[in-house]
Amino acid sequence: SDAVEVGPGNLKVLYSANGGKFTQYFNQRNQVRSSLEQSFSYYSADDGSKDAWKDLQASGAYVFRPNGSFPINSEKKVPVTILQGPLLDEVHQNISSWIYQITRVYKEKEHVEVEFTVGPIPIDNGIGKELVTHIQTDIKSNKTFYTDSNGRDFLKRIRDYRADWDLQVNQPAAGNYYPINLGMFLKDNSNEFSVLVDRSVGGSSLVDGQLELMLHRRLLHDDGRGVAEALNETVCALGKCMGLTVQGKYYIRVDPVGEGAKWRRSFGQEIYSPLLLAFSEQDGDKFT
Amino acid sequence: TTDLLADALAIAQHHDAVSGTSKQHVADDYAKRLFIGYKQAEELVSNSLACMVESASASGCKNPSINFKQCPLLNISYCPPSEADLAPGKKLVVVVYNALGWKRTDVIRIPVVNENVIVQDSTGKEIESQLMPIVKASIAIRNYYATAYAGESPTSSPKYWLAFRATVPPLGFNSYVVTSGKRAVAASIPQTFHRTDGSQ
């Protein structure tokens, strides 16, 4: 009674009518079910002025050095618009004035497509920000997650641990971040939870059952490692310049354990080889 | 051209371009050169598609008469060929090419200004389609970025995404025809639920 069901095909995603967030993923074909909870937060970028580690290191293009994490609208109800049709359902969420999200569930697909539009990241308080989204599931991942290796094999990562040396954890977030070019996944004895991306992002699993993706960054300080400029991208048009707005997609799917690899490899290829569209005109019924 | 995509391929492999660790003016230059590469490739692809399409029905391909256009800014819902009001008696042809070695079925979405549209497959049979309103915020972003990146000020604003299912053979193409002027049977504006205060 508290949920809105979205999805014209086998895949159903439940949205809480109360909070406007998705709560559950259910595939009617294979009966896979998982809780899903999404949230947004940002890491405030270290400006390099503190002497905490005696290296005066600012967060910049090369070095991810957050000094705090702040949830975005975690308590606020988000306006939701749901569009339902024969081919796909869409859920529009205006998360904040600079975060807009469209979630799509297709009739003939068994994954959820999430399109994010983020930016310009506000910097009027003088603090650089690195925006992340968290997707929490009920997978019992036990500190273990898997990330692709430059689009190739998925490698096992264990939080706060390296197999070949004794790791001292000074940066709990940055020390567990990995480059994500294709995707990452979690698994337990029952299910696999996979996320594939359409662009290179940063990612991690800092909490069991949770995957985290960094969607956009806007920084005000140079990290002193070579760029000699802050990562503060702007776009100029119509007589004004503003911070960059990015738009991208990621894809979510839950499979029975051992069955996710096929989707990750085949759909991963499709993400990076999109169908090419070409347009022309023709006269009347002259079908070439 | 003999150096087709040479600059673009070089840039795509440079660690600064991949990771974003370049100065803004360098990133701007990368974007410009990538787009130059894209435009050159677009011409080649358009001619190739024209040859493929014509040779499938006529007698080979010497001087393809079909002129294909692409929509590199479709991601920001900017696609002049699909947004234009078609002249009387004209139909919009969408050729969909699949570069992978297996058959694919996917939902294609293009912006349109008119809700009175139907989609036909290459045999002329009408297929199921769906309209979704384009949100105003997207139009503002689209106009800004179309000006910034393409130097074009959009003259019209599409109202809807037209979605239809395309099936494309391995390493091949399929074509679909969008016709205006007739009330769509299958395409419809979906139900909308809006909640702002907890009530549904």
Side-chain angles (χ1 to χ4, degrees):
Chain A
S1 61
D2 184 32
V4 179
E5 185 181 273
V6 171
N10 282 329
L11 180 59
K12 303 292 180 191
V13 176
L14 294 188
Y15 275 79
S16 144
N18 208 14
K21 294 177 176 175
F22 51 66
T23 59
Q24 205 163 110
Y25 173 108
F26 177 54
N27 187 334
Q28 290 179 328
R29 182 185 59 81
N30 57 14
Q31 298 294 302
V32 166
R33 185 187 294 273
S34 175
S35 67
L36 273 187
E37 191 173 323
Q38 189 201 19
S39 59
F40 287 88
S41 64
Y42 69 83
Y43 291 106
S44 57
D46 199 315
D47 62 5
S49 64
K50 291 178 193 162
D51 199 10
W53 301 102
K54 308 218 180 284
D55 59 1
L56 301 169
Q57 178 63 62
S59 210
Y62 288 105
V63 180
F64 173 35
R65 187 61 62 102
N67 69 1
S69 174
F70 301 89
I72 293 175
N73 289 347
S74 60
E75 303 302 321
K76 196 175 160 189
K77 287 177 180 174
V78 174
V80 175
T81 303
I82 300 175
L83 309 170
Q84 296 186 297
L87 298 177
L88 72 149
D89 289 355
E90 277 191 353
V91 180
H92 292 239
Q93 293 168 284
N94 210 347
I95 310 291
S96 76
S97 61
W98 50 284
I99 307 172
Y100 195 88
Q101 180 171 280
I102 304 173
T103 307
R104 300 191 180 96
V105 184
Y106 293 91
K107 184 179 180 184
E108 294 192 349
K109 305 278 182 189
E110 295 188 354
H111 60 254
V112 179
E113 175 183 302
V114 183
E115 180 180 296
F116 55 89
T117 304
V118 178
I121 294 177
I123 49 168
D124 41 7
N125 63 354
I127 297 172
K129 299 171 185 69
E130 304 184 84
L131 181 85
V132 296
T133 185
H134 303 108
I135 304 159
Q136 180 73 48
T137 67
D138 51 15
I139 304 271
K140 296 168 186 66
S141 55
N142 191 25
K143 292 188 174 183
T144 305
F145 59 108
Y146 300 80
T147 70
D148 72 275
S149 50
N150 209 9
R152 296 175 177 83
D153 281 357
F154 282 82
L155 303 182
K156 184 177 184 177
R157 320 291 188 182
I158 301 174
R159 195 161 63 244
D160 298 334
Y161 175 78
R162 302 290 185 274
D164 47 0
W165 82 92
D166 184 18
L167 179 69
Q168 298 286 315
V169 180
N170 293 317
Q171 288 285 324
N176 289 297
Y177 249 71
Y178 291 88
I180 310 297
N181 296 291
L182 176 61
M184 54 182 171
F185 70 95
L186 299 172
K187 67 178 180 178
D188 62 13
N189 292 332
S190 308
N191 291 327
E192 288 178 29
F193 168 59
S194 309
V195 174
L196 297 183
V197 296
D198 75 339
R199 67 205 40 241
S200 298
V201 294
S204 187
S205 173
L206 300 177
V207 174
D208 279 354
Q210 184 184 89
L211 288 178
E212 170 174 328
L213 290 176
M214 184 178 287
L215 304 179
H216 193 16
R217 314 194 285 162
R218 192 176 186 190
L219 305 173
L220 303 177
H221 297 275
D222 176 39
D223 57 20
R225 306 287 161 166
V227 186
E229 193 175 84
L231 186 66
N232 181 7
E233 293 162 282
T234 53
V235 178
C236 299
L238 305 174
K240 61 178 179 177
C241 296
M242 62 165 88
L244 184 70
T245 296
V246 299
Q247 186 177 72
K249 290 177 189 168
Y250 58 91
Y251 305 87
I252 296 170
R253 179 169 162 134
V254 186
D255 289 288
V257 68
E259 295 180 17
K262 184 183 177 189
W263 178 73
R264 288 192 295 269
R265 296 315 325 181
S266 57
F267 188 65
Q269 285 283 98
E270 294 182 9
I271 293 171
Y272 283 89
S273 300
L275 292 170
L276 176 80
L277 302 184
F279 299 86
S280 188
E281 283 184 5
Q282 70 177 21
D283 290 324
D285 291 323
K286 187 190 159 215
F287 278 79
T288 303
Chain B
T1 174
T2 54
D3 61 353
L4 183 73
L5 289 174
D7 276 5
L9 192 62
I11 290 164
Q13 293 178 86
H14 191 278
H15 59 266
D16 275 355
V18 173
S19 62
T21 48
S22 68
K23 290 194 177 187
Q24 173 89 51
H25 74 275
V26 178
D28 292 343
D29 191 56
Y30 287 157
K32 182 177 179 179
R33 287 168 197 278
L34 287 168
F35 196 70
I36 291 169
Y38 178 89
K39 291 303 283 183
Q40 291 173 344
E42 180 186 18
E43 196 177 330
L44 176 69
V45 168
S46 294
N47 284 331
S48 303
L49 280 174
C51 276
M52 289 163 67
V53 169
E54 290 194 350
S55 64
S57 62
S59 53
C61 172
K62 287 174 185 165
N63 281 312
S65 59
I66 305 175
N67 179 28
F68 280 110
K69 292 175 182 164
Q70 294 180 28
C71 290
L73 295 176
L74 189 59
N75 62 329
I76 58 166
S77 65
Y78 182 52
C79 183
S82 75
E83 293 171 17
D85 259 334
L86 288 172
K90 292 279 187 182
K91 294 180 175 182
L92 176 70
V93 182
V94 185
V95 170
V96 187
Y97 180 77
N98 171 20
L100 292 180
W102 58 80
K103 178 184 167 185
R104 290 165 70 178
T105 299
D106 215 338
V107 172
I108 305 293
R109 295 189 313 135
I110 56 174
V112 292
V113 290
N114 194 332
E115 73 255 41
N116 294 322
V117 284
I118 61 166
V119 182
Q120 297 166 289
D121 66 15
S122 57
T123 67
K125 183 183 159 200
E126 184 177 341
I127 62 169
E128 193 171 44
S129 57
Q130 178 180 337
L131 288 172
M132 287 159 292
I134 297 180
V135 291
K136 281 184 182 170
S138 298
I139 295 294
I141 291 174
R142 147 205 142 96
N143 291 344
Y144 187 81
Y145 274 76
T147 309
Y149 285 143
E152 294 174 17
S153 301
T155 50
S156 64
S157 287
K159 290 182 185 153
Y160 306 101
W161 284 107
L162 171 66
F164 59 93
R165 190 183 296 115
T167 301
V168 196
L171 296 166
F173 69 93
N174 206 344
S175 56
Y176 295 86
V177 179
V178 178
T179 308
S180 65
K182 208 159 70 169
R183 179 73 191 172
V185 178
S188 61
I189 301 170
Q191 284 181 278
T192 302
F193 305 91
H194 201 92
R195 186 190 59 74
T196 54
D197 59 359
S199 61
Q200 187 174 311

